[in-house]
Amino acid sequence: MRSSWIADASKGFNLDLNLDSFRSQPSRIPINFMGVGNKVSMRDEVSVLKADLNKMKEENRRLTEMLSAVTEYYATLQSRLGLATTSTASDKDRMLQLLPSRKRKAENNQEVKSDVVNESITCSINNDNVVESSSIEEEYSCKKPKEDPKTMVSRAYVRTEPSNTSLVVKDGYQWRKYGQKVTRDNPSPRAYFRCSFAPGCPVKKKVQRSAEDPSVLVATYEGEHNHTNCAKPDTPPPAPVLINSTSPASPTVVPLDQTQPGLSQSSCVVRAPRREIKYSPELEKHLMEQMASTLTRDPGFTSALAAAISGIIMPNSPA
DNA sequence: CGTGTTTGACCGGCGC
DNA sequence: GCGCCGGTCAAACACG
C-alpha cells in the first residue's frame, strides 16, 4: 500500500517514523562519520543529530508544501469539473443553433452580448483519457472576445515523438481534416479537423505544435459531440499530458496514469452524462490515492524520493 | 470508385 | 478603404 501513506500525508505529512528508528538504532550512525574519529564528543554528536533533524524537518516542510500545492491544484481541477458538469442540454441546443453558417456570426455576436452564459473556467477529464483543460477566459480574454463564449472549448496536450511531424492526435474519435494554415504566432502549421464519426457532429478540432515545446501537440476542441464514442483506434494513443495552465510560458508536463480502469482509450467508450460531483472527504481520499498511485508508479519519482530520503539519513553515502 | 488529404483561393472580422 | 489574419471552402490529388 504505497499509495496509502501518501494519501494520509495530505493531512499532515511527516517522517517521524524514520526519526524513531534513527533514535532506536544509534549504532547505525558511525561515530566518525564526520571524519574526526573518537575525538567527537557526545555534545558534537548531539549537535550533528540536531542538524540532521533540522534538515529532515526542512525536507518535511518542502514535501508538505509540494503536496499541498498538488492538493490545491487537484481541488481547482475538481471545481472546474463541477462547473463543466453543470452545462445543460439547453446550452448544447443553443450551441448547435449557432453553428450553421459563417454568415450568422454577426447576428450571433449581438445575441452573445445580452446572453452571457457558461463563460466560467471549466475542465473535464473525459473517458478517452485525454485531459482537457478548458478555459473560456484563457481562450478569449485577450484576443478573441468576438467569439461565442457559450461554445465549449477545451484543450488537450499530447506529447509526441520529436521525429513525428504529423498533426494527428488520437483521441478515439474519427476526424476529417479540412484545412491547414500557418499562423503568425507559431511557426508550425495549424490543422483543422471536423468530427466525421457522426454526420451532424458539430465538434471541431485544431491541432498545432506548441510554440515553446514542439514535441507537444496542442489540440483545441470546440463544441460537444452529439454521439457516443465507439471508435477503436488502430494504435494506442500517445501518452496524454496535462499542462499547468497557470504558467503557459513554461508548462509543467505531468504524465497521466493510463492504467486506470475506465480510462482506456482503446476500449469502446460510451460517455457518461455529465453530472454534479459532490466534494467529499471520500472523494478527496480517492483523488489522493489516485494521485499517489500515479506518482508511485513513476520510476523517476520513486527513485528521486528514495535518493532524497537516503541523502538525508546518510549524508555521506554516495548518490 | 469512394474516401480522405492537400493546398491555394476566398471570406469575414478587425485594426489602422 | 485597405491590409492583415484566422478560418473555411473546394478542386485536385493520393491511396486502397
Side-chain angles (χ1 to χ4, degrees):
Chain A
M1 286 291 277
R2 282 188 303 173
S3 62
S4 62
W5 66 268
I6 293 183
D8 292 338
S10 63
K11 294 166 186 168
F13 190 84
N14 65 68
L15 295 172
D16 287 344
L17 288 175
N18 290 344
L19 292 176
D20 289 341
S21 61
F22 225 107
R23 292 190 198 99
S24 63
Q25 298 177 6
S27 61
R28 293 176 63 182
I29 306 172
I31 200 70
N32 60 343
F33 75 103
M34 291 293 287
V36 291
N38 293 333
K39 293 180 182 176
V40 177
S41 66
M42 281 298 287
R43 186 172 296 177
D44 291 338
E45 188 179 345
V46 168
S47 64
V48 167
L49 287 173
K50 280 184 178 176
D52 281 347
L53 184 62
N54 287 334
K55 276 184 185 175
M56 295 187 77
K57 282 181 178 176
E58 178 65 18
E59 186 69 13
N60 186 9
R61 188 186 61 79
R62 277 175 38 218
L63 289 170
T64 306
E65 284 177 2
M66 287 169 60
L67 191 64
S68 63
V70 173
T71 306
E72 185 181 348
Y73 186 56
Y74 243 91
T76 304
L77 289 176
Q78 190 63 38
S79 64
R80 291 180 178 184
L81 178 63
L83 286 170
T85 56
T86 59
S87 83
T88 63
S90 60
D91 290 337
K92 188 177 172 181
D93 291 341
R94 276 181 294 177
M95 180 186 73
L96 291 176
Q97 286 172 6
L98 296 176
L99 287 168
S101 72
R102 287 184 291 169
K103 288 190 175 182
R104 284 185 54 84
K105 274 186 180 176
E107 302 165 29
N108 294 338
N109 287 342
Q110 292 177 357
E111 184 183 344
V112 163
K113 287 175 186 172
S114 59
D115 185 15
V116 179
V117 180
N118 199 22
E119 62 180 346
S120 55
I121 298 174
T122 61
C123 179
S124 65
I125 301 176
N126 66 20
N127 286 337
D128 306 323
N129 197 21
V130 174
V131 168
E132 302 170 347
S133 65
S134 170
S135 168
I136 302 300
E137 287 179 351
E138 179 187 348
E139 186 75 12
Y140 297 106
S141 59
C142 37
K143 51 186 176 183
K144 291 185 179 178
K146 62 190 173 82
E147 290 187 30
D148 183 5
K150 287 179 290 190
T151 302
M152 181 68 157
V153 176
S154 59
R155 282 184 183 172
Y157 300 84
V158 178
R159 172 84 65 189
T160 62
E161 296 288 333
S163 57
N164 183 8
T165 58
S166 70
L167 290 172
V168 176
V169 174
K170 301 218 174 188
D171 50 17
Y173 289 93
Q174 216 174 329
W175 300 96
R176 177 186 170 85
K177 189 178 181 180
Y178 67 90
Q180 182 166 317
K181 198 83 172 175
V182 176
T183 57
R184 218 180 63 157
D185 57 341
N186 195 328
S188 63
R190 175 184 296 170
Y192 299 89
F193 297 89
R194 279 198 191 93
C195 180
S196 61
F197 190 81
C201 183
V203 179
K204 291 178 203 166
K205 178 172 80 168
K206 290 181 284 190
V207 180
Q208 190 172 29
R209 294 195 174 275
S210 169
E212 289 97 21
D213 186 356
S215 65
V216 173
L217 286 175
V218 182
T220 305
Y221 296 85
E222 295 179 17
E224 265 185 297
H225 295 278
N226 58 6
H227 55 88
T228 57
N229 173 20
C230 285
K232 206 164 186 176
D234 296 333
T235 57
V241 296
L242 168 63
I243 291 187
N244 187 354
S245 61
T246 58
S247 56
S250 57
T252 303
V253 180
V254 181
L256 293 177
D257 185 8
Q258 289 195 291
T259 62
Q260 292 298 323
L263 289 177
S264 170
Q265 187 174 359
S266 58
S267 61
C268 178
V269 178
V270 177
R271 282 171 179 253
R274 294 174 185 270
R275 64 184 189 278
E276 192 78 34
I277 297 177
K278 293 182 180 175
Y279 192 78
S280 65
E282 289 77 17
L283 176 63
E284 181 185 4
K285 185 182 176 185
H286 178 69
L287 288 171
M288 290 302 299
E289 284 177 354
Q290 278 200 346
M291 180 173 61
S293 172
T294 300
L295 287 173
T296 52
R297 246 184 242 123
D298 181 1
F301 173 79
T302 50
S303 61
L305 186 62
I309 293 174
S310 64
I312 291 167
I313 295 174
M314 292 179 286
N316 279 3
S317 65

